[in-house]
Amino acid sequence: FHPTKYLKGLARAIEARGGRFYAETVHVGDEEKDGGVEVTTEAGPVIRAGAAVFATNSPTNDKVAIHSKQRPDRTYVVAGRVAKGSVPDSLVWDTYDAYHYVRIQPLGEREDLLIVGGGDHRSGEAQDMDERLAALEAWTREHYPSFGAAEYRWSGQVLEPIDFMPFSGRNPGSTNIYVHTGDSGQGITNGVAGSLTILPLIIGEDSRYAALLDPGRKSLTSVTSVGEFVRDQAGAVKNFAEYIGPGEISSADELAPGEGGIMRKGLIKLAVARDDDGTVHQRSAVCTHLGCLVHWNDFEKCWDCPCHGSQFAPDGAVLNGPAVTPLAAAD
Ligand code: FES
């Protein structure tokens, strides 16, 4: 199963049925009106529809309801060659916290690519990416001795819901707006489950999984998940305490090319980053979603918000929701 081939086929199927795609069309607002939905875009045009589905990894339409029930985690992956047949063709997860996940990607007649992930932490709360990737490589070598060296290393962000089930269905408090999120890194399969859930809701038919995946559900699976939930929210509270703490740097001169740091300037905090060519960017460090302070991600070279997972480029542009507007100008 090849994710990008699958997505390409899916896009072809949508276009064959009259669907159209518009890239670079940023959603900045939405409103339920006249029995439908109006979506405002950054460039100005307004999209009117009977229903709108926000399947944007982290929902950009919702300010609080969903974001207080899931947590953004950063996860790390290494991949390297193994002799064909030396690793069984299977999907493997272990039960550690954070857990490892393993699969192979066929490369040819003689080799496969072994792909191993793990080392997760709450977004924006670690700066030891090299150690995490080294530990992942060591774990891989220990369990799969045919693994040579990691040829590829990358990281991604996953959204972990409080009760381990994705949120898929009507947006809390809405009539014609739907969301799909909280995939825990299982977006390809959960995305299909989400489509099977949301489509019947839109056309007024029975939806088998609607109650189970309801984004407005209150039920919590266990006392453990409640405890974890409270701890997760404590992360956001801790973040607000940073408003009164000192900065990490006192001048942009302290930054080498490719580095970023938080600088205090009077009462405000600035996100300062230096590009590889030496250009310095200074933006407000206040996340434009709900106001937490962003943290520099030295591996991906971007600003991560630990509260709900927004990410911003060194120049402040939005890379990942729920924020939809760039970090404000430094002044
Ligand atoms: Fe919500 Fe930053 S993502 S405050």
Side-chain angles (χ1 to χ4, degrees):
F1 188 87
H2 194 294
T4 47
K5 287 181 184 168
Y6 159 72
L7 291 174
K8 203 170 164 190
L10 191 60
R12 261 204 310 267
I14 290 170
E15 285 183 325
R17 286 160 178 77
R20 284 182 288 168
F21 294 94
Y22 292 89
E24 306 292 337
T25 307
V26 181
H27 150 256
V28 289
D30 53 90
E31 191 185 349
E32 296 209 81
K33 215 171 171 185
D34 306 328
V37 184
E38 278 191 2
V39 175
T40 316
T41 64
E42 193 178 39
V46 174
I47 303 163
R48 294 189 180 83
V53 182
F54 286 84
T56 50
N57 186 17
S58 181
T60 56
N61 63 307
D62 174 87
K63 274 284 186 203
V64 180
I66 300 287
H67 300 293
S68 57
K69 297 195 288 189
Q70 64 181 8
R71 177 190 74 203
D73 273 5
R74 188 150 279 280
T75 185
Y76 298 87
V77 187
V78 294
R81 283 160 212 264
V82 290
K84 197 166 235 9
S86 65
V87 177
D89 183 5
S90 54
L91 287 173
V92 179
W93 290 263
D94 66 24
T95 53
Y96 291 118
D97 184 13
Y99 61 90
H100 300 91
Y101 46 95
V102 181
R103 78 171 177 94
I104 57 167
Q105 170 64 36
L107 271 192
E109 288 186 2
R110 303 225 171 120
E111 291 173 318
D112 288 326
L113 200 59
L114 177 63
I115 302 174
V116 178
D120 300 19
H121 60 83
R122 189 183 179 115
S123 292
E125 292 201 342
Q127 279 302 342
D128 55 350
M129 286 75 172
D130 286 341
E131 285 87 344
R132 284 170 194 267
L133 285 159
L136 207 49
E137 273 194 60
W139 184 92
T140 306
R141 237 170 255 117
E142 184 188 342
H143 291 81
Y144 300 94
S146 60
F147 181 83
E151 291 172 57
Y152 306 95
R153 311 187 322 163
W154 69 93
S155 79
Q157 183 166 274
V158 297
L159 292 158
E160 295 287 355
I162 172 179
D163 57 3
F164 314 112
M165 292 294 290
F167 298 109
S168 208
R170 198 165 270 119
N171 184 60
S174 302
T175 307
N176 294 306
I177 297 177
Y178 301 83
V179 287
H180 177 87
T181 185
D183 281 331
S184 303
Q186 314 293 327
I188 295 286
T189 38
N190 286 350
V192 175
S195 70
L196 295 173
T197 303
I198 291 175
L199 176 63
L201 290 176
I202 293 175
I203 60 179
E205 291 184 357
D206 279 350
S207 181
R208 187 174 165 196
Y209 304 114
L212 190 64
L213 303 179
D214 180 12
R217 66 180 181 268
K218 299 263 183 326
S219 61
L220 305 173
T221 53
S222 68
V223 172
T224 313
S225 63
V226 177
E228 281 173 6
F229 177 66
V230 171
R231 256 203 315 282
D232 289 345
Q233 298 313 299
V237 174
K238 193 176 92 208
N239 184 286
F240 284 111
E242 291 175 17
Y243 267 89
I244 51 172
E248 297 162 339
I249 56 170
S250 47
S251 149
D253 296 344
E254 294 171 37
L255 297 173
E259 287 184 350
I262 298 294
M263 186 167 86
R264 174 170 283 293
K265 192 178 174 195
L267 287 177
I268 61 169
K269 285 206 160 170
L270 299 178
V272 185
R274 186 183 290 278
D275 282 348
D276 285 340
D277 68 3
T279 311
V280 172
H281 303 280
Q282 294 199 29
R283 309 293 297 186
S284 161
V286 178
C287 174
T288 54
H289 175 229
L290 284 178
C292 288
L293 291 174
V294 296
H295 294 172
W296 179 246
N297 177 335
D298 200 44
F299 184 64
E300 296 287 349
K301 308 295 180 197
C302 65
W303 297 104
D304 285 355
C305 181
C307 287
H308 315 106
S310 292
Q311 290 172 303
F312 303 88
D315 67 359
V318 178
L319 299 176
N320 195 92
V324 291
T325 46
L327 294 177
D331 55 359

